[in-house]
Amino acid sequence: MEVINPWASHQFKDYARLRDEFGIEEFKFDLPDAPRLFRRGIIFGHRDFQLIYDRIKRNEDFAVLTGLMPSGRMHFGHKMTIDQVVYYQNHGGDVHIAVADIEAYASRGISLDKARKIALEEYVPSYLALGISPERAEVYFQSKRREVKDLAWQLGKKININEFLKIYGFGNEANMSHIFSPLIQVGDILHVQLDRFGGRRPTVVPVGVDQDPHLRLTRDLVDRWRMFSVVKQGDKIGVFYRGKNEERVIPEIKAVLEDFGLKMEENIPYKALYLSGFEDEKEMLMRINEKLIEYEKRENPFGFFAPSATYHRLITGLTGEKMSSSVPDSAIFLTDSPKEARRKVMRAITGGGATLEEHRKYGGKPEKCSVYEFFAYHLIDDDKYLKEIYDSCKKGDRTCGTCKKEAAGIVEEWMKEFQEKREQAKDMVKDIVRED
Ligand code: TRP
Ligand code: SF4
């Protein structure tokens, strides 16, 4: 099996294959007021999103957790994550954003002071200007949050080096801080379920698909630390207890699950309880699990909900390669001047024909065009109009010159407005940043 290296800059081409290979499910939820990243298949996959979908539908609380490495300038690739966070915040999620300063130190040698400066001056004002409200939201530093670091070393006890190396392809030269950093990310993802941060609840982690190894690790660890497993068994649901004192525990959980009004059969020597007589099995699995997590809290400090995750495609850079801070022309940075942004768009690699003549004759390839991608991901909200661009490019009616001018115009305007908001947002940085 292939390993995804979250620290290498690679481009993924075949998202359907990635899904199959890693057991990521296709994202097909019909969200209320779905923003364009959801409507257009840019968020192409998920794990366990049903949990979040239900909470949104039922207006119940859930946590949103993501993190960014403060390692350079913030660009439109990073904006995708924040756009999703804004959506969740507006639909009932409480927001936690990690400044991944430990990871930046461990993997890139960026000092904590430098990371802090980059976070406060470069990233956080942009989060706010993109629409994150300081209410029910926080930005915190990995290095300063004790619970994150504690969970990292505590939960790591249940994975050995062999299993770890199957997930991450660390080479012999990798330093130990870097090797430890995925566990810090596990701490990030799970610590919001501790009481101080809102207690046990489903958590959605919106990320680029390169982060999936961290989610697999987290979800595995969660499962290993649980007191119960809840699985379907034919037309029944089996709850299996993994601890001691089953004579006490099994009747206790039977009482806890009584409210559902299902038929229950216990098998104490097998440490099992079987439930039957439900209609919607998936729904029931979720409900039972919720109840058990609440129950086991008394005895198990690490009985968490497995995090849900959504995966977005990584945006192609304007140079045709990955969008990356280290290739300045590949990315439009949120603090580029509007003129600079315009210039970069005008120079972008498109999917147009080699000559105008060919383009007219054979049409262009919008699906391989960084300008079209920019329209779809960031610039054009009107689905019908986007489709028109797509079709007329395919037919060769629309030329790349037209597209670029249009994109440049929209970007320039957008940047002006955004940067004004960003200036104003600087005063609010202190309202969202937590120091512990
Ligand atoms: N590893 C992420 C990156 O490379 C940053 C990150 C740290 C993160 N903690 C997280 C992402 C928790 C999602 C959830 O940018
Ligand atoms: Fe891209 Fe537009 Fe050119 Fe088509 S016409 S390839 S969408 S820039």
Side-chain angles (χ1 to χ4, degrees):
M1 190 138 146
E2 195 189 341
V3 293
I4 298 176
N5 179 349
W7 299 280
S9 56
H10 41 185
Q11 252 186 308
F12 299 102
K13 293 256 153 55
D14 191 347
Y15 287 99
R17 214 205 71 217
L18 263 186
R19 246 183 345 227
D20 293 345
E21 190 156 348
F22 294 101
I24 295 169
E25 285 179 83
E26 189 175 358
F27 193 94
K28 286 195 273 192
F29 295 89
D30 188 12
L31 285 169
D33 329 306
R36 56 181 173 259
L37 294 175
F38 291 98
R39 296 198 306 268
R40 296 178 180 164
I42 298 163
I43 292 158
F44 70 96
H46 77 96
R47 292 185 191 275
D48 248 353
F49 190 75
Q50 187 72 41
L51 229 49
I52 303 299
Y53 182 74
D54 285 3
R55 295 242 161 177
I56 292 176
K57 284 274 180 182
R58 285 194 258 120
N59 259 318
E60 291 173 5
D61 62 344
F62 62 96
V64 188
L65 179 294
T66 193
L68 286 104
M69 256 210 266
S71 60
R73 296 176 64 194
M74 188 168 167
H75 56 60
F76 275 82
H78 305 117
K79 172 178 175 284
M80 288 202 272
T81 303
I82 302 302
D83 286 344
Q84 295 165 63
V85 173
V86 170
Y87 172 79
Y88 292 128
Q89 184 174 40
N90 293 333
H91 287 80
D94 51 284
V95 171
H96 309 263
I97 305 178
V99 175
D101 58 350
I102 292 183
E103 186 182 357
Y105 171 71
S107 69
R108 309 236 175 121
I110 295 169
S111 73
L112 294 186
D113 282 345
K114 177 101 189 289
R116 178 180 176 82
K117 194 168 147 59
I118 295 174
L120 296 180
E121 290 172 13
E122 170 74 17
Y123 284 72
V124 181
S126 291
Y127 299 165
L128 293 162
L130 288 171
I132 293 187
S133 145
E135 220 155 288
R136 303 224 306 148
E138 60 160 358
V139 174
Y140 71 91
F141 298 89
Q142 286 179 328
S143 66
K144 291 199 161 183
R145 186 151 286 181
R146 162 142 197 202
E147 289 86 347
V148 167
K149 294 182 282 190
D150 281 351
L151 282 177
W153 65 259
Q154 288 165 324
L155 298 180
K157 185 105 170 58
K158 282 198 198 282
I159 180 163
N160 67 37
I161 186 76
N162 239 322
E163 297 165 316
F164 192 82
L165 290 177
K166 272 189 209 146
I167 308 178
Y168 301 100
F170 282 112
N172 288 332
E173 75 299 338
N175 78 70
M176 288 308 298
S177 303
H178 190 188
I179 293 173
F180 188 70
S181 69
L183 286 167
I184 299 282
Q185 187 153 341
V186 170
D188 282 327
I189 294 171
L190 297 177
H191 87 283
V192 294
Q193 293 189 57
L194 298 173
D195 284 344
R196 185 183 153 211
F197 305 98
R200 304 288 192 268
R201 64 210 184 289
T203 304
V204 62
V205 184
V207 280
V209 66
D210 60 315
Q211 297 294 303
D212 184 52
H214 303 310
L215 278 131
R216 273 183 273 138
L217 172 65
T218 310
R219 290 169 55 84
D220 254 12
L221 282 171
V222 165
D223 182 54
R224 290 176 186 192
W225 281 99
R226 285 290 308 276
M227 279 167 58
F228 302 99
S229 64
V230 185
V231 293
K232 85 172 230 242
Q233 288 223 323
D235 55 359
K236 293 181 182 160
I237 290 175
V239 174
F240 301 97
Y241 173 54
R242 294 157 163 172
K244 296 194 184 97
N245 301 323
E246 55 272 23
E247 304 80 8
R248 172 179 62 84
V249 171
I250 298 293
E252 269 180 25
I253 61 166
K254 200 170 165 191
V256 165
L257 298 175
E258 201 153 44
D259 291 352
F260 292 127
L262 302 177
K263 182 161 176 261
M264 295 194 274
E265 302 155 72
E266 58 186 43
N267 185 335
I268 291 181
Y270 276 69
K271 306 187 185 188
L273 181 69
Y274 299 93
L275 301 99
S276 54
F278 43 82
E279 270 159 30
D280 187 338
E281 176 188 273
K282 250 167 112 188
E283 165 86 14
M284 216 55 232
L285 281 166
M286 282 195 306
R287 293 286 93 82
I288 290 172
N289 206 32
E290 273 173 11
K291 282 263 194 236
L292 292 175
I293 287 174
E294 211 40 56
Y295 167 85
E296 76 178 82
K297 215 176 138 180
R298 308 178 222 167
E299 309 189 21
N300 177 8
F302 308 132
F304 297 119
F305 282 87
S308 306
T310 63
Y311 302 108
H312 54 258
R313 296 165 184 260
L314 301 180
I315 190 170
T316 313
L318 297 169
T319 48
E321 312 284 300
K322 189 195 168 198
M323 185 171 285
S324 156
S325 316
S326 49
V327 186
D329 274 350
S330 73
I332 295 181
F333 298 103
L334 298 180
T335 50
D336 275 344
S337 72
K339 283 254 152 357
E340 178 72 1
R342 156 177 286 278
R343 186 191 64 84
K344 287 181 181 176
V345 170
M346 293 307 289
R347 289 223 233 135
I349 302 288
T350 71
T355 63
L356 186 58
E357 207 175 36
E358 272 186 35
H359 185 81
R360 290 277 189 219
K361 195 160 157 200
Y362 304 112
K365 294 194 177 75
E367 63 284 345
K368 291 210 169 118
C369 172
S370 71
V371 176
Y372 181 78
E373 222 176 83
F374 220 61
F375 279 143
Y377 286 37
H378 295 291
L379 302 181
I380 292 179
D381 210 38
D382 181 345
D383 291 339
K384 240 177 78 199
Y385 184 53
L386 185 72
K387 175 90 172 32
E388 270 170 46
I389 295 181
Y390 186 93
D391 291 341
S392 64
C393 164
K394 277 277 190 203
K395 279 192 249 156
D397 291 348
R398 178 179 260 266
T399 65
C400 299
T402 311
C403 274
K404 284 184 180 177
K405 265 186 235 137
E406 187 167 349
I410 304 175
V411 154
E412 201 175 346
E413 246 341 275
W414 190 89
M415 299 289 281
K416 277 187 200 148
E417 260 179 53
F418 170 78
Q419 286 171 8
E420 267 169 39
K421 282 190 225 150
R422 198 175 178 282
E423 275 313 302
Q424 288 161 13
K426 286 182 177 167
D427 290 341
M428 297 191 319
V429 168
K430 58 180 184 326
D431 302 332
I432 197 168
V433 171
R434 296 287 121 79
E435 297 290 348
D436 67 339

